[in-house]
Amino acid sequence: KQEVTQIPAALSVPEGENLVLNCSFTDSAIYNLQWFRQDPGKGLTSLLLIQSSQREQTSGRLNASLDKSSGRSTLYIAASQPGDSATYLCAVNQAGTALIFGKGTTLSVSS
Amino acid sequence: EAGVAQSPRYKIIEKRQSVAFWCNPISGHATLYWYQQILGQGPKLLIQFQNNGVVDDSQLPKDRFSAERLKGVDSTLKIQPAKLEDSAVYLCASSSGGRLASYNEQFFGPGTRLTVL
């Protein structure tokens, strides 16, 4: 049974810092991995999708990497801003099935 | 392109009452999902539809939850009767479907926050 773990559960940083969020999964047979952002009381916004054949994806200040063989993904946020404060969720997709999510990392960026 | 629409956004009910949520997926998306997100947890799948057929409802509490997707477009999720532990955010998502990995990117609606008193 696939399990997704995110570390740390919470993170507080000052504005301008670069930071890394970690995601690990137990079954490497995945189709893709998605990173989402969730603001309080809101739905999920897709940030990046990495297909199983890819090693990384970039969007603006965000870079996500995938090491399928070791069951790990990282989300790198450069030059963090207070507007980046949110919960970041990692989810894996196995052969067109529903996503399996971690519990998320709650990020707080102070100005 | 319009996103996934859900209504209502918020609902407060007493335990043992019934409630229904509605979802309209992105136009042309064949696959529709309902997830339940309890506070502090990641979303968990309740049911997955492919067009108007059920693909996976193994985690749906069928004694109280039901869902349908008429004509392969809109979907309704119902809870009857509600329990205190059903308090959660109910998220609807859709994807294009198909076997290519890129088709499986899921797009989420804003969710319905249910409080059961």
Side-chain angles (χ1 to χ4, degrees), chain A:
Chain A
K1 178 186 172 186
Q2 178 74 267
E3 292 184 2
V4 179
T5 303
Q6 291 188 246
I7 294 173
L11 182 62
S12 293
V13 301
E15 182 177 6
E17 272 205 9
N18 302 324
L19 57 100
V20 174
L21 307 181
N22 297 292
C23 172
S24 62
F25 47 96
T26 55
D27 184 347
S28 62
I30 64 170
Y31 245 47
N32 59 50
L33 182 145
Q34 272 185 270
W35 282 94
F36 293 89
R37 169 183 173 140
Q38 187 172 34
D39 292 287
K42 301 291 179 66
L44 276 63
T45 300
S46 180
L47 297 173
L48 290 164
L49 179 147
I50 310 176
Q51 297 179 15
S52 61
S53 59
Q54 297 176 322
R55 300 279 298 182
E56 66 178 322
Q57 281 283 354
T58 298
S59 175
R61 294 183 294 109
L62 305 179
N63 176 276
S65 68
L66 174 65
D67 184 342
K68 206 172 72 160
S69 61
S70 67
R72 293 180 183 176
S73 176
T74 61
L75 179 67
Y76 175 83
I77 303 177
S80 58
Q81 303 170 358
D84 295 330
S85 298
T87 296
Y88 291 82
L89 292 157
C90 162
V92 298
N93 183 302
Q94 293 185 279
T97 62
L99 293 172
I100 299 171
F101 284 84
K103 292 184 178 180
T105 294
T106 299
L107 173 64
S108 177
V109 181
S110 57
S111 56

Side-chain angles (χ1 to χ4, degrees), chain B residues 28-112:
Chain B
H29 279 193
T31 310
L32 184 147
Y33 312 80
W34 283 101
Y35 291 86
Q36 179 193 57
Q37 185 178 23
I38 292 172
L39 187 65
Q41 304 287 320
K44 183 187 76 172
L45 178 73
L46 291 174
I47 189 167
Q48 176 183 349
F49 292 95
Q50 180 76 16
N51 297 309
N52 60 354
V54 175
V55 174
D56 183 356
D57 64 355
S58 58
Q59 299 186 79
L60 186 73
K62 298 181 186 64
D63 58 334
R64 297 184 301 105
F65 286 65
S66 64
E68 61 182 5
R69 189 181 185 196
L70 298 175
K71 299 180 182 178
V73 182
D74 293 4
S75 178
T76 302
L77 176 69
K78 296 180 181 178
I79 308 175
Q80 183 179 13
K83 292 185 175 181
L84 297 176
E85 59 260 36
D86 298 332
S87 294
V89 176
Y90 291 85
L91 295 161
C92 179
S94 69
S95 66
S96 299
R99 292 207 170 270
L100 289 179
S102 59
Y103 289 168
N104 292 322
E105 183 172 8
Q106 295 185 25
F107 299 88
F108 283 75
T112 296

